[in-house]
Amino acid sequence: MESIKQPDEQYELLWALMENIPDSIYFKDTEGRFVMVNRAKAGHSGTIPQQMLGKTDYDYLPGEQADHSRKIEEEVIRTGQPRIGVVEKFVRKDGKRVCISATKIPWYDKTGNIIGIIGISRDITELEQTREEMAGVNLELEGRVARRTAELTNANERLKTEIAERSQAEEKLRDNYHIQTVINSILMVSLSTLSFKEQLQRVLELILSIPWLRIQSKGCIFLVDDARTSLKMAVSYGLDARLLQMCNNIPYGTCLCGRAARDKQLVFVDHIDCRHDIHYDGMLEHGHYCVPVLSGRQLLGVINLYVDKGHRRDNVEENFLSAVGSATASIIEKHGNEQEKQRLNDRLMQSEKLSALGRLSANVAHEIRNPLMVIGGYARRLNKLMQQGSWEKQSAEVIYTEVTRLEMILKNALSYAKNTQLNLQYYNVNHVVEESLKNYADICSEKNILVKKTANVVPDVPIDKNQIRQVMDNLISNAIDAMPDGGVLGVCTDSVLIDQRQHVVVRVTDTGTGIDPDKIDHIFEPFFSTKEIGRGTGLGLPLSKKIVQDHGGDITVDNQPGQQGCIFCVNLPMEQEMRYCPVTP
């Protein structure tokens, strides 16, 4: 091949190389201005070669990247040392991210002076991405190898511990089987036809009969009282008679069971310590598991079990007893739901009776009242005309008395059937009780009834004074009627917390014979009376309950026939909406 010797031919050859090579080639003067660029350089910059002449990197690159490029070029011009294969990553002004391998060498003139730099750069974006991907793959592979090595290293340790864990697991399975068997038995009790008390007794006996549970064969189950301030013993097994009396009612925070109730946490002791508030002379040393019976965060009761002195606390026992507590909670909740269902049914029946009574009262009120007024008027006239002590005069008095009683029955029936407007004002219940007792002072004296009044300091509550006075009169009158041979009438006021709301409570007690248990569930039904025929209308207690419920409260009765008579409690909330019932036209 013939060599090329002419300068023009050499120039053309070099220019052809520059124009066709895919790498960027450019010449810059000492000020960084482009003197010559090839087509690849101009294409990478988004323009043509002629438009780049005399411009700098600042016209094509962001300022920070142009500064970096300029700094390298100044160093090459200053030192005369080339920079070869410098990898640069930058973002062009069109937003494209690129990675190049740049070589920058000094540009000398014929006399050997540096007059600028010559740059050659190659786009290695794809190559760099491939390298990064390969590095990531290598790193991931190394990580996998390291993890696998660690797994293999730990495999032997796991195998060693697995045998021990399997042995422990088998033991736990046996324990869990026994636990589940007992829990299932407790749940089956809830489905039985036994009474609620019999179900709790059966649960307690099941717990005490578990052979692997190291407890004594005695214990009891407490239930939360209505005020949610104390525990009442529901069932027991093997307890000393003195404990049955001393532990019948335990306030929250008292003794171990009271603390378990207050804190809603299991309490364990292995001996009689300072927290054992209830004890008696000669009590043998022992410990306790006091297990709260919870439904969510709501306390339903406490299971109290006895252990020997020095008994070691055991997580398996505690977990089991906690599970037993949850299962027992289902029985108590089921009983509560059944009671609530029964109460709703009773209210529905009472509502139906009330509706029928309202319709009846509205239809016949005028028809009955007018004839009664006529009969009563003529009876009073005849009574005045008849000779004193005659049979006719006695008959007229009987007619007048019975007419008066019928008018009272009609009045009470109308009051019970219709909605009554409440004139609510803040008033002290002690004043209402005092006024009512004064009204019955002479009757109590005549019947040899001792009145014991305990008027504790209570706040004013929003009440309709006249209606609450009617309730007090009715309860006090009933208590007096329950003691025909004399006795003790007790009236006590207090402030208590019921269902997280503060209430003022009025308790009316008597020492009569109490109410027949077969009749106690019906005393608030309209026209049901425990008194002799002719002495009661059967509307006093229903009307009183309606009045108190209209005030947002309730009336409850604690009946102990043959022991201390009846205790009627009127619960009035201290705070309520000042609501008014519409008057029925």
Side-chain angles (χ1 to χ4, degrees), residues 43 70 96-97 133 150 164 170 250 309 363 392 408 450 517:
R70 180 59 183 162
K96 183 179 180 181
R97 296 178 178 272
E133 290 174 359
E170 291 175 354
I250 300 178
K309 179 185 178 181
N363 291 332
E392 290 82 359
M408 182 59 65
L450 176 65

Side-chain angles (χ1 to χ4, degrees), residues 6 14 24 49 84 94 121 163 171 176 183 202 256 270 340 358 361-362 456 463 466 498 502 539 555:
Q6 297 300 324
L14 290 174
S24 297
I84 300 172
D94 60 2
S121 60
I163 297 174
E171 185 177 352
N176 289 337
I183 299 301
R202 179 58 181 152
L256 300 173
D270 62 355
E340 182 63 22
S361 300
N456 294 310
I463 60 173
N466 293 329
I498 301 176
Q502 203 68 28
L539 286 172
I555 295 182

Side-chain angles (χ1 to χ4, degrees), residues 154-412:
N154 294 329
N156 287 334
E157 295 297 326
R158 290 199 303 270
L159 289 174
K160 290 179 182 178
T161 58
E162 191 174 314
I163 297 174
E165 290 176 355
R166 184 174 298 177
S167 177
Q168 294 175 357
E170 291 175 354
E171 185 177 352
K172 287 183 179 180
L173 284 174
R174 286 193 298 269
D175 292 341
N176 289 337
Y177 171 77
H178 293 306
I179 291 173
Q180 195 59 48
T181 301
V182 175
I183 299 301
N184 290 340
S185 300
I186 292 175
L187 294 176
M188 290 299 296
V189 168
S190 68
L191 301 177
S192 68
T193 58
L194 298 173
S195 67
F196 177 57
K197 187 171 183 178
E198 290 172 337
Q199 288 181 354
L200 292 180
Q201 188 69 45
R202 179 58 181 152
V203 168
L204 181 60
E205 292 172 358
L206 279 171
I207 299 171
L208 298 178
S209 65
I210 300 172
W212 59 268
L213 190 61
R214 295 171 294 124
I215 58 176
Q216 297 181 9
S217 295
K218 57 182 179 180
C220 60
I221 297 178
F222 293 96
L223 296 179
V224 174
D225 68 353
D226 293 336
R228 298 192 177 279
T229 57
S230 61
L231 300 171
K232 281 191 173 182
M233 187 183 296
V235 295
S236 64
Y237 185 90
L239 294 185
D240 189 280
R242 288 168 289 187
L243 281 178
L244 293 178
Q245 183 176 1
M246 298 170 71
C247 297
N248 183 56
N249 190 295
I250 300 178
Y252 286 5
T254 300
C255 208
L256 300 173
C257 293
R259 287 175 169 82
R262 179 194 63 195
D263 302 332
K264 298 179 182 179
Q265 292 183 351
L266 185 146
V267 173
F268 169 81
V269 295
D270 62 355
H271 65 287
I272 299 177
D273 59 13
C274 60
R275 295 173 293 173
H276 215 119
D277 302 319
I278 300 175
H279 54 81
Y280 56 85
D281 293 338
M283 178 180 285
L284 298 176
E285 279 283 356
H286 63 275
H288 282 283
Y289 274 121
C290 297
V291 186
V293 180
L294 299 172
S295 175
R297 289 297 300 167
Q298 181 182 4
L299 180 74
L300 303 179
V302 172
I303 301 174
N304 180 29
L305 303 173
Y306 284 71
V307 298
D308 294 334
K309 179 185 178 181
H311 181 89
R312 296 185 62 182
R313 191 166 190 166
D314 187 276
N315 289 333
V316 174
E317 290 181 348
E318 290 190 7
N319 292 336
F320 166 70
L321 293 176
S322 296
V324 167
S326 298
T328 306
S330 67
I331 295 178
I332 299 174
E333 283 186 313
K334 180 174 179 289
H335 174 67
N337 292 337
E338 290 174 349
Q339 284 189 319
E340 182 63 22
K341 179 181 178 181
Q342 185 60 44
R343 280 195 293 269
L344 292 175
N345 288 333
D346 293 343
R347 286 186 180 181
L348 179 60
M349 293 177 62
Q350 187 171 354
S351 176
E352 292 174 349
K353 290 181 181 179
L354 178 60
S355 177
L357 179 61
R359 292 192 298 269
L360 175 64
S361 300
N363 291 332
V364 304
H366 296 292
E367 300 297 330
I368 294 178
R369 180 175 293 175
N370 292 335
L372 282 177
M373 291 177 63
V374 173
I375 295 171
Y378 277 103
R380 283 193 293 270
R381 291 182 184 180
L382 289 174
N383 187 34
K384 292 179 181 179
L385 295 175
M386 296 301 173
Q387 184 178 355
Q388 189 70 28
S390 65
W391 177 84
E392 290 82 359
K393 186 176 182 64
Q394 292 177 359
S395 298
E397 288 177 350
V398 170
I399 294 173
Y400 176 69
T401 301
E402 290 303 309
V403 166
T404 303
R405 191 171 74 87
L406 286 173
E407 288 178 343
M408 182 59 65
I409 293 175
L410 182 60
K411 178 183 177 181
N412 288 338

Side-chain angles (χ1 to χ4, degrees), residues 92-132:
R92 292 197 178 106
K93 285 189 174 181
D94 60 2
K96 183 179 180 181
R97 296 178 178 272
V98 296
C99 180
I100 63 172
S101 175
T103 296
K104 298 182 179 182
I105 61 176
W107 179 17
Y108 295 96
D109 62 8
K110 294 180 179 180
T111 61
N113 295 320
I114 297 176
I115 60 173
I117 63 106
I118 302 172
I120 302 174
S121 60
R122 173 172 294 178
D123 189 337
I124 60 170
T125 302
E126 294 183 1
L127 177 62
E128 190 65 20
Q129 289 176 348
T130 302
R131 288 178 179 175
E132 290 177 355

Side-chain angles (χ1 to χ4, degrees), residues 25-36:
I25 301 176
Y26 53 89
F27 291 76
K28 290 183 180 181
D29 61 17
T30 56
E31 298 301 322
R33 292 184 294 265
F34 289 104
V35 176
M36 180 184 297

